[in-house]
Amino acid sequence: MSQYTEIKLSCYHCGGDCSDDSIFIDDKLFCCNGCKTVYEILQANNMCDYYSIEETPGISKRNEIRRNFDFLDDPDLQNKLIDFTDGNWTKITFFIPQMHCSSCIWILENLYKFNLAIPESEVDFLKKTVSVKYSVKETTLKDVVILLDSLGYLPSFNFEEKTKSKSDEVLKKLYYKIGVAGFAFGNIMLLSFPEYLSLDDVVTDNIKNIFGTLNMLLALPVFLYSASEYYFSAWKGLKKKIINIDVPITLGIFVLFARSYYELITVTGAGYLDSLAALVFFLLIGKLFQYKTYDVLNFERNYQSYFPIAVTIIKDSAETTKPLDKLEAGDRIIIKNGEIVPADSVLISDSANIDYSFVTGESVPVYKTNGSIIYAGGKQVGKSIKVETVKDVSQSYLTQLWNQDAFRKEYSSNINMLVNIISKYFTIIILGIASTAFIFWAPSDIHVAFNAFTAVLIIACPCALALSTPFTLGNSLRIFGRNKFYVKNADEIERMAKVDSIVFDKTGTLTETNSSDINYIGEELSDERKSLISSAAKDSSHPLSQSLVRALLPADHYPVERFEEVFGKGILAIVNGAEVKLGSDRFFNGASKVNGDLPNSSKVNVEINNERLGYFEIKNKYRPNLKAIAANLKSLYCISVLSGDNAGEENNLRNFFGDKARLLFRQSPFDKLNYVKDLQSKNHKVLMIGDGLNDAGALKQSDVGISISENVNNFSPACDGIMESKSFNKLKDFVNFSRTSRKIIILSFIISFLYNLVGLFFAVQGLLSPVIAAILMPISSISVVVFATLSTNLTAKKQGLL
Amino acid sequence: MEVIVILIGASLAVAIGFLIAFLWAVKSGQYDDKYTPSVRILFDNDSSEEKSKTN
């Protein structure tokens, strides 16, 4: 008998679907015992407010694995993880990627109700961290982590996290500097009013002198502190024989400061200290605007962030845990369901199912038998296996990628940035004009000559020039972020504008990870049979079974009477009295015949009541709109597709990308890296789009490496940008928009040059009064900022990105 | 007119006071996390205990 319930049962804790109503307390339903346990813990501690702040805030415990946290007792490891300890109290910051709502904040800040030895815990929601202070005498790090895990908030341990606080320090310093500059700017402006309004008859010379002295005092911290990083940057540039934008800025600031002090001390004028303070203030605001970071996302992962920090090893026939960095070749390790093999190993157990999705993007597990090599990065699916490591973690096949030059080179980033190319010529021209003015005036009046020389350098100080880039690119960064494309920093957008070649990885990038094309070949299936197959496959967690269930969509599901799964091979189920057998060739014919696998696809044979009906052929599905995206891109860029698979898909890819595209198959991670290098040596600017660890080298080597991910908080290799897979169809818009941004920057440059021309007109005649400087400089800066912001927003709207 | 010097002194003193307050706020971490406090303030203190009393 089949029953179909319309009302979906959802879990009180996590909101997930409940398969039946067997797990409940106080008429609250749960999808699994894990969720129920969390509820019980909360109830016992009088913490059920958790459920009233947000609905179903919990994190599903359905795929829960029992974890062993013994490695947290290792003192070396503890020292690496904790922020600070004084022997009584220890402070540690955990990164908790599961944090997603205000209930999470509430429960994580009320940890003391569960364990009195944790008096303080503070959440930073945007960074997804919780800082915990605990008493060393009353509890241990392990207990704290077990508590968090029992509530569903398993911290993700990562030794790189600690360096992150550095960016906080930079930001804090920027705030200090802006504060000081803003304070000085406002007050100096106020004290300069008599000068602006020429109130000579009202304001006595005495008061003017006092105002001048005050201005000198106020400008001093701006000159010495707020503007200091421009001096360092200019000096660094000059040492490398590069005239960056900070060189003319520094020149301008020094001349402004020196001439103003000279005028005020000799009582020959009022100086330009207001312009100096305004200039520094605006420049720093621009810097702050550019300083957008996605703290939660990690763009600099190395292989260590993929791997566990400790593994279970067998030593003297007992299980112990060992930190990963102490793992040696020859250790025997136990890999449990869902754990990652940290180093190249040989399988000791009879069989294993290795999911290489981190490595290749391919999520269908690979079946391995005793004695075969399992590469680092593979994830075991199913029962625990034993393996013996044959290489160190750092010497393993994939992790060797990180020893490549690509990972050592520091980006010699901003030499080629537009603003620095221009500033080189700009500085030379301005110095030329200033000297010409000096030489012109010197014979007649040396005083005017000095005046004109300094005035040119002051008025030409490229404040607006320096502001146009951060505001345009900073705004573009925000617009991209709103479209789920997170770029590491603003410079990458300019780099993206210059790209002329695009390299795609195939699996996981051009194809979707979670859905597939399914073809059925064989005797036609009746609705009845479809229901039987779907009911049988429903209870299996294997990705192929899941794809089948999604594709068949039968009208009914039958109760399953008996269910047996041979992992990685197939399932045998009795459904509604019929015997349903689904699985690979190996499942039907025994291990002897393995070569029947179709290239690039997986085959699931179907047998009902001992009658072989046919098979499903399950292929990776290309992303929707790929045709349109490819058609747009192929005319503008030189396109390459690299694939780790065989050439089976060549014709399909040709259809998408045309004859000119270069398609390369059977590419190892090193081949991919070398291919990108090769393109670059032919003066191509390469945009690489990939998704897995095997693309890590190529992503790092390319000029802009974008990693594509179903969920941006998931693992992604080191890259310059992370794109959510749903935004893939906007790829063309993103590249176009980065080009538009570049054009906007150039237009802003032109605007600021026009202002400079007006200023120079006064300056070369030695007629630059403080009022003209005080008006011209802020106006030019503000108009450039307004132009940059408005025009990026408008074009984004036009291109459908806002 | 000389009184303006006193007024300027007073206004500068106030401005410096605000500058110091700003620098202190940055230093004490008030600008580190600009989101979480906005959520935190909405939580009632120990409301579950009060509720269990009224029930």
Side-chain angles (χ1 to χ4, degrees):
Chain A
M1 216 206 92
S2 79
Q3 266 195 344
Y4 203 68
T5 30
E6 282 295 328
I7 308 155
K8 265 199 177 163
L9 305 171
S10 61
C11 176
Y12 183 67
H13 177 71
C14 70
D17 291 345
C18 301
S19 50
D20 52 37
D21 54 3
S22 61
I23 307 166
F24 65 93
I25 334 169
D26 317 340
D27 55 84
K28 281 158 186 131
L29 277 175
F30 298 95
C31 64
C32 58
N33 280 313
C35 289
K36 189 178 134 201
T37 314
V38 180
Y39 176 76
E40 283 167 341
I41 297 171
L42 292 175
Q43 205 188 27
N45 289 284
N46 215 352
M47 295 287 280
C48 282
D49 267 4
Y50 184 58
Y51 299 102
S52 55
I53 297 171
E54 301 259 348
E55 273 197 14
T56 61
I59 290 127
S60 176
K61 285 272 197 174
R62 202 184 305 220
N63 301 321
E64 177 84 333
I65 327 148
R66 278 204 72 78
R67 297 178 186 88
N68 186 344
F69 294 110
D70 288 343
F71 61 90
L72 289 172
D73 288 334
D74 184 293
D76 284 352
L77 206 80
Q78 278 191 14
N79 280 334
K80 280 189 196 164
L81 292 170
I82 59 177
D83 299 339
F84 140 92
T85 183
D86 65 357
N88 291 319
W89 298 100
T90 293
K91 233 184 149 172
I92 178 163
T93 306
F94 296 112
F95 176 56
I96 300 187
Q98 301 92 321
M99 205 188 284
H100 65 284
C101 66
S102 31
S103 280
C104 301
I105 302 177
W106 182 76
I107 197 162
L108 290 170
E109 297 206 330
N110 281 302
L111 287 178
Y112 69 92
K113 292 198 177 157
F114 299 100
N115 185 345
L116 283 172
I118 311 174
E120 273 174 33
S121 51
E122 199 182 323
V123 170
D124 186 326
F125 187 71
L126 295 182
K127 289 183 191 155
K128 303 203 186 224
T129 58
V130 57
S131 306
V132 172
K133 184 174 148 187
Y134 66 87
S135 160
V136 184
K137 290 187 179 122
E138 290 164 60
T139 191
T140 60
L141 177 61
K142 192 171 120 189
D143 288 337
V144 176
V145 173
I146 289 174
L147 169 63
L148 287 169
D149 184 41
S150 71
L151 299 172
Y153 298 96
L154 175 71
S156 131
F157 293 104
N158 189 345
F159 297 115
E160 297 157 78
E161 295 299 321
K162 279 198 169 170
T163 54
K164 267 193 173 173
S165 55
K166 228 169 128 190
S167 73
D168 279 354
E169 279 310 304
V170 175
L171 194 60
K172 256 188 185 177
K173 265 192 188 147
L174 193 55
Y175 275 123
Y176 291 146
K177 285 175 179 168
I178 290 176
V180 170
F183 162 80
F185 168 48
N187 284 293
I188 294 175
M189 270 290 205
L190 210 64
L191 294 172
S192 305
F193 257 90
E195 194 59 39
Y196 297 158
L197 304 174
S198 323
L199 300 175
D200 288 338
D201 31 331
V202 203
V203 182
T204 61
D205 283 349
N206 200 7
I207 290 179
K208 262 193 182 170
N209 285 342
I210 292 173
F211 282 10
T213 318
L214 276 176
N215 275 348
M216 288 204 284
L217 284 176
L218 286 168
L220 208 57
V222 178
F223 177 71
L224 293 178
Y225 176 63
S226 295
S228 54
E229 60 189 288
Y230 291 96
Y231 316 152
F232 291 125
S233 163
W235 179 241
K236 256 192 222 159
L238 286 178
K239 265 207 310 210
K240 284 187 203 151
K241 300 208 169 85
I242 302 159
I243 300 181
N244 57 25
I245 184 73
D246 294 332
V247 173
I249 289 177
T250 304
L251 202 64
I253 292 175
F254 270 82
V255 172
L256 267 171
F257 185 79
R259 173 151 169 197
S260 306
Y261 261 57
Y262 170 79
E263 282 185 9
L264 285 167
I265 287 167
T266 57
V267 204
T268 47
Y272 305 87
L273 291 175
D274 47 348
S275 298
L276 171 71
L279 172 80
V280 175
F281 181 64
F282 287 133
L283 285 174
L284 290 173
I285 294 274
K287 229 177 206 163
L288 181 69
F289 199 82
Q290 195 176 19
Y291 199 91
K292 163 97 187 166
T293 51
Y294 297 102
D295 279 316
V296 183
L297 305 178
N298 190 343
F299 295 96
E300 303 293 348
R301 286 180 201 281
N302 67 20
Y303 60 88
Q304 279 171 344
S305 16
Y306 290 84
F307 296 155
I309 48 177
V311 285
T312 316
I313 63 162
I314 310 168
K315 203 174 163 189
D316 310 329
S317 68
E319 287 183 23
T320 48
T321 52
K322 194 174 190 181
L324 190 63
D325 50 358
K326 292 182 187 162
L327 190 70
E328 289 159 15
D331 279 341
R332 292 199 163 192
I333 33 182
I334 296 183
I335 307 289
K336 295 185 186 128
N337 181 20
E339 286 185 344
I340 288 175
V341 181
D344 294 355
S345 313
V346 170
L347 184 63
I348 296 175
S349 304
D350 288 339
S351 65
N353 271 288
I354 304 297
D355 168 359
Y356 277 121
S357 56
F358 278 163
V359 181
T360 59
E362 176 63 69
S363 62
V364 179
V366 184
Y367 183 79
K368 296 273 183 188
T369 51
N370 182 312
S372 43
I373 290 268
I374 300 173
Y375 292 114
K379 186 167 80 177
Q380 160 67 359
V381 189
K383 59 182 199 302
S384 301
I385 51 166
K386 276 183 212 162
V387 297
E388 185 174 309
T389 55
V390 289
K391 279 182 182 167
D392 282 348
V393 177
S394 61
Q395 294 306 314
S396 289
Y397 179 63
L398 262 169
T399 42
Q400 270 186 346
L401 264 181
W402 271 267
N403 302 329
Q404 295 286 307
D405 290 343
F407 286 86
R408 286 203 209 104
K409 88 169 175 212
E410 282 270 319
Y411 255 127
S412 52
S413 61
N414 36 28
I415 303 173
N416 291 319
M417 305 304 272
L418 201 53
V419 67
N420 288 327
I421 298 170
I422 291 189
S423 74
K424 188 170 125 195
Y425 298 104
F426 182 83
T427 312
I428 294 166
I429 291 170
I430 289 308
L431 280 175
I433 295 176
S435 325
T436 316
F438 184 81
I439 292 163
F440 178 80
W441 288 106
S444 51
D445 187 343
I446 190 75
H447 189 70
V448 179
F450 267 112
N451 248 349
F453 182 75
T454 49
V456 169
L457 292 182
I458 287 171
I459 203 68
C461 184
C463 177
L465 202 66
L467 284 176
S468 60
T469 312
F471 273 90
T472 312
L473 296 183
N475 208 19
S476 307
L477 195 78
R478 254 161 274 250
I479 290 165
F480 283 174
R482 214 175 288 179
N483 287 287
K484 311 267 186 237
F485 173 34
Y486 306 96
V487 185
K488 186 167 69 180
N489 60 45
D491 295 351
E492 303 298 338
I493 295 176
E494 211 187 313
R495 220 169 271 141
M496 205 156 95
K498 283 191 272 184
V499 160
D500 60 4
S501 308
I502 302 183
V503 179
F504 292 101
D505 164 56
K506 188 181 81 68
T507 319
T509 305
L510 295 179
T511 62
E512 286 185 334
T513 324
N514 290 332
S515 64
S516 22
D517 265 336
I518 299 186
N519 278 323
Y520 175 73
I521 295 154
E523 198 177 315
E524 193 158 339
L525 293 172
S526 62
D527 282 350
E528 163 79 13
R529 279 178 170 162
K530 279 188 188 168
S531 301
L532 288 174
I533 296 167
S534 176
S535 308
K538 188 171 56 103
D539 287 341
S540 158
S541 60
H542 194 279
L544 289 179
S545 310
Q546 298 294 327
S547 305
L548 270 185
V549 175
R550 270 196 299 269
L552 284 170
L553 288 174
D556 280 327
H557 270 133
Y558 299 117
V560 178
E561 283 145 38
R562 213 182 64 145
F563 181 81
E564 207 175 292
E565 180 162 11
V566 183
F567 217 99
K569 289 184 174 175
I571 48 179
L572 178 68
I574 307 213
V575 185
N576 210 17
E579 194 187 278
V580 181
K581 203 173 166 193
L582 302 169
S584 64
D585 287 346
R586 208 184 284 120
F587 188 52
F588 283 85
N589 307 331
S592 55
K593 196 183 157 197
V594 193
N595 296 330
D597 286 10
L598 289 166
N600 224 343
S601 65
S602 310
K603 195 173 159 187
V604 178
N605 296 292
V606 184
E607 197 178 285
I608 294 179
N609 289 332
N610 289 321
E611 186 193 345
R612 189 79 161 263
L613 298 172
Y615 61 88
F616 289 98
E617 192 191 33
I618 302 176
K619 276 189 180 177
N620 276 319
K621 189 174 166 185
Y622 287 101
R623 290 190 188 278
N625 306 331
L626 180 62
K627 186 114 208 158
I629 301 161
N632 274 320
L633 291 175
K634 74 181 174 196
S635 54
L636 296 167
Y637 302 95
C638 147
I639 302 230
S640 322
V641 178
L642 308 181
S643 169
D645 296 334
N646 57 35
E649 286 290 299
E650 187 164 356
N651 287 335
N652 268 335
L653 288 168
R654 276 271 172 255
N655 269 339
F656 286 125
F657 292 105
D659 300 332
K660 269 189 268 167
R662 271 188 274 181
L663 310 176
L664 292 153
F665 297 92
R666 294 192 184 283
Q667 297 283 300
S668 75
F670 296 96
D671 292 339
K672 291 183 180 181
L673 188 144
N674 286 330
Y675 181 77
V676 172
K677 240 188 222 169
D678 190 47
L679 275 181
Q680 285 173 327
S681 69
K682 288 173 192 149
N683 270 331
H684 285 294
K685 298 273 179 236
V686 183
L687 170 72
M688 165 86 198
I689 303 178
D691 75 321
L693 257 179
N694 63 338
D695 304 321
L699 286 173
K700 188 83 186 172
Q701 176 68 38
S702 58
D703 296 84
V704 182
I706 296 172
S707 109
I708 195 159
S709 171
E710 300 297 325
N711 171 358
V712 290
N713 291 320
N714 276 357
F715 287 112
S716 59
C719 57
D720 302 314
I722 301 175
M723 188 191 285
E724 206 171 275
S725 55
K726 284 185 209 103
S727 300
F728 181 72
N729 53 0
K730 293 184 191 158
L731 178 68
K732 194 196 107 226
D733 299 328
F734 291 143
V735 183
N736 271 354
F737 191 71
S738 63
R739 294 193 161 188
T740 315
S741 307
R742 199 176 142 93
K743 279 180 204 145
I744 291 171
I745 293 177
I746 293 173
L747 276 178
S748 326
F749 285 173
I750 293 172
I751 294 177
S752 79
F753 283 139
L754 290 180
Y755 279 108
N756 266 334
L757 281 182
V758 177
L760 284 173
F761 171 76
F762 292 105
V764 287
Q765 302 176 67
L767 291 175
L768 184 73
S769 70
V771 189
I772 295 175
I775 293 170
L776 213 55
M777 285 174 92
I779 282 190
S780 73
S781 305
I782 289 167
S783 56
V784 162
V785 167
V786 169
F787 172 76
T789 318
L790 281 186
S791 51
T792 39
N793 281 344
L794 277 178
T795 39
K797 227 171 230 170
K798 232 163 93 188
Q799 299 186 3
L801 290 175
L802 252 186
Chain B
M1 201 54 212
E2 308 296 324
V3 72
I4 193 122
V5 177
I6 297 168
L7 293 176
I8 292 283
S11 81
L12 263 181
V14 173
I16 288 172
F18 277 108
L19 176 67
I20 290 170
F22 173 75
L23 295 181
W24 167 79
V26 175
K27 193 180 165 68
S28 67
Q30 293 184 31
Y31 282 73
D32 291 355
D33 180 3
K34 281 160 263 165
Y35 178 79
T36 322
S38 70
V39 178
R40 195 178 293 140
I41 195 154
L42 299 173
F43 297 144
D44 299 327
N45 281 336
D46 300 327
S47 63
S48 58
E49 281 152 43
E50 279 159 33
K51 252 188 234 161
S52 53
K53 266 180 225 160
T54 51
N55 282 351

